């Protein structure tokens, strides 16, 4: 019998996989969408510039008084048809208790900013991996609200010529609303729809409820937007439907963040490695 013939496998060495391969570098878009540790100086600058721009654009919207009052009449009639037009009764009932309405005036003027900034600081310190995504929700919510102010000017209840609402800031001489008293020329009075007092308050409440560990803190998170809803109605600054508009804007903000990050902000990693030390782990709630 003849000797067996062995045919060498040409290029066999090239066919074997390389045991050590370098990890592919993430694309630029993937890097932008990955949670990262925020920079303090950048966040302070971003928030300051963003709020300045928001105020500038909001106040630059033409004050279309006639259209705003027509829209107010329509909102008021719509609420009557729905059986929820109780703002006037709430306004008068709370206004009869001086200490309560004065406290609500100051609540309206201050906590809208104080609580929102406090939640941002808490996120920055305790949940840096979720900070940017949750901040994006807030920014997208506010941005779409500007569109609402332009397309649907609306006067607050206290400016209704046919209504019997009490402007609680004027009556009690408190520095409550930027749209009342001596400060009314510094703010667009016909930008009541949607209510960003509610949009921001619900953002704060959901964030605290989803991420806080202490039960009583989570309960406070839910109570805050509820109290804010009572305040904006009692002070005659908004209708119930303005609050609905604020919630719809917030839903848009969550949708934007969900599309960009591929998940809800609260599902992202709580902490991320310092910049330059690798990419974060897959989203998981800590």
């Amino acid at each position: 019998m003849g000797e067996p013939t062995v045919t060498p496998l040409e290029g066999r060495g090239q066919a074997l996989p390389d045991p050590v391969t370098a990890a592919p570098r993430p694309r630029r878009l993937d890097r932008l969408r990955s949670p990262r540790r925020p920079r303090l100086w950048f966040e302070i600058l971003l928030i300051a510039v963003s709020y300045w721009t928001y105020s500038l654009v909001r106040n630059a919207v033409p004050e279309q008084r006639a259209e705003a009052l027509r829209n107010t009449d329509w909102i008021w009639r719509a609420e009557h048809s729905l059986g929820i037009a109780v703002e006037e009764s709430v306004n008068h009932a709370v206004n009869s208790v001086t200490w309560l309405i004065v406290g609500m005036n100051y609540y309206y003027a201050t906590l809208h900013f104080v609580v929102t900034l406090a939640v941002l600081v808490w996120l920055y310190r305790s949940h840096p991996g979720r900070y940017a995504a949750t901040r994006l929700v807030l920014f997208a919510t506010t941005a779409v609200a500007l569109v609402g102010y332009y397309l649907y000017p609306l006067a607050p209840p206290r400016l209704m010529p046919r209504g019997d609402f009490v402007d609680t800031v004027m009556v009690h001489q408190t520095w409550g609303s930027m749209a009342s008293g001596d400060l009314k020329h510094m703010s667009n009075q016909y930008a009541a729809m949607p209510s960003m007092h509610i949009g921001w308050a619900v953002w704060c409440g959901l964030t605290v409820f989803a991420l806080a560990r202490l039960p009583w803190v989570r309960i406070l998170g839910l109570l805050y937007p509820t109290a804010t809803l009572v305040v904006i109605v009692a002070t005659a600054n908004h209708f119930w439907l303005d609050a609905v508009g604020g919630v719809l804007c917030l839903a848009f903000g969550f949708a934007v963040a969900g599309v960009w990050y591929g998940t809800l902000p609260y599902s992202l990693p709580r902490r991320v490695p310092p910049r330059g030390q690798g990419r974060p782990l897959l989203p998981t709630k800590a």
Side-chain angles (χ1 to χ4, degrees), residues 103-179:
M104 287 189 174
N105 284 344
Y106 289 126
Y107 180 115
Y108 185 88
T110 59
L111 293 191
H112 176 53
F113 306 102
V114 172
V115 174
T116 304
L117 286 175
V119 172
L120 282 169
V121 171
W122 172 65
L123 280 171
Y124 178 88
R125 292 176 58 88
S126 301
H127 298 267
R130 298 163 180 158
Y131 174 86
T134 314
R135 182 201 61 201
L136 176 60
V137 174
L138 184 65
F139 279 31
T141 298
T142 307
V144 75
L146 290 174
V147 179
Y149 299 148
Y150 185 85
L151 296 178
Y152 196 80
L154 183 72
R158 57 185 172 75
L159 292 183
M160 286 182 63
R162 301 176 186 175
D164 191 27
F165 288 91
V166 177
D167 189 332
T168 59
V169 172
M170 292 289 292
V171 169
H172 298 280
Q173 296 296 303
T174 56
W175 53 271
S177 171
M178 287 288 288

Side-chain angles (χ1 to χ4, degrees), residues 107 111-123 134 137-138 141 196-212 217-226 228 250 254 266:
Y107 180 115
L111 293 191
H112 176 53
F113 306 102
V114 172
V115 174
T116 304
L117 286 175
V119 172
L120 282 169
V121 171
W122 172 65
L123 280 171
T134 314
V137 174
L138 184 65
T141 298
M196 279 300 93
H197 271 74
I198 288 298
W200 289 13
V202 176
W203 175 87
C204 292
L206 289 177
T207 300
V208 171
F209 180 78
L211 301 180
V217 176
R218 301 181 71 197
I219 293 173
L220 284 179
L222 294 181
L223 290 178
Y224 173 59
T226 305
T228 300
L250 181 64
F254 273 107
Y266 310 137

Side-chain angles (χ1 to χ4, degrees), residues 11 14 19 43 61 70 83 138 140 147 154 182 188 216 241 244 276:
Q14 288 82 355
E43 295 304 324
V61 174
R70 284 196 301 271
L138 184 65
V147 179
L154 183 72
D182 295 334
N188 185 355
W216 67 269
L241 291 182
V244 174

Side-chain angles (χ1 to χ4, degrees), residues 27-29 47-48 58 69 74-75 93 96 98 103 134 140 150 157 170 178 181 199 210 218-219 232 238 254 262:
R27 294 178 300 176
R28 180 175 179 81
L29 181 60
I47 291 172
R58 181 180 185 271
L69 292 176
W74 186 90
I75 289 286
S96 64
T98 302
T134 314
Y150 185 85
M170 292 289 292
M178 287 288 288
R218 301 181 71 197
I219 293 173
I232 66 172
H238 288 283
F254 273 107

Side-chain angles (χ1 to χ4, degrees), residues 68-80 84-88 108 152-161 163 165 192-195 198 228-246:
L69 292 176
R70 284 196 301 271
N71 290 337
T72 299
D73 287 338
W74 186 90
I75 289 286
W76 193 227
R77 289 197 305 270
E79 289 197 350
H80 274 285
I84 59 173
V86 298
E87 291 93 333
E88 194 171 82
Y108 185 88
Y152 196 80
L154 183 72
R158 57 185 172 75
L159 292 183
M160 286 182 63
F165 288 91
M193 170 68 85
S195 170
I198 288 298
T228 300
L229 178 60
V230 175
V231 166
I232 66 172
V233 171
T235 56
N237 280 294
H238 288 283
F239 295 101
W240 298 120
L241 291 182
D242 298 346
V244 174

